Amino acid sequence: MSHRRVSVKDLGEADCQGWLQRRKDGRSFLGGKWKRFWFVLKKSSLYWYGDKMAEKAEGFINLCGFNIEQATGCRKRQYD
């Protein structure tokens, strides 16, 4: 099965999840627009979705070979 066809629910318990802003590619002078996505980190896979209950991932990044650590002392912007 394709990584992008995995729903949020099918991933089960995530290692980390939450709302993040991602810039969409744009051809304008100022670049692309920022859009909010629901990101889910599960083992070495990072998925992003349009919302918390999406049936299909908008994108997927394989992080195998990278070190992943939780940031400390960063600014947080709260979303519902």
Side-chain angles (χ1 to χ4, degrees):
M1 179 188 293
S2 168
H3 290 291
R4 291 184 118 188
R5 294 183 187 214
V6 177
S7 71
V8 174
K9 182 178 152 185
D10 290 340
L11 285 176
E13 189 173 336
D15 297 319
C16 188
Q17 60 186 353
W19 292 106
L20 291 172
Q21 299 282 334
R22 181 178 182 276
R23 187 164 58 181
K24 294 286 240 174
D25 291 334
R27 305 253 187 257
S28 71
F29 175 72
L30 299 174
K33 292 185 178 182
W34 290 88
K35 186 175 176 189
R36 186 172 87 150
F37 289 94
W38 182 254
F39 277 78
V40 178
L41 178 65
K42 177 83 175 193
K43 297 184 181 177
S44 63
S45 300
L46 181 65
Y47 301 86
W48 64 91
Y49 296 87
D51 61 59
K52 292 181 183 181
M53 299 306 213
E55 292 293 319
K56 182 180 171 188
E58 298 279 333
F60 163 80
I61 299 173
N62 182 355
L63 298 173
C64 189
F66 290 89
N67 292 325
I68 303 166
E69 297 178 18
Q70 187 170 359
T72 58
C74 62
R75 293 184 327 188
K76 287 187 178 181
R77 181 176 171 189
Q78 297 294 330
Y79 293 103
D80 50 12

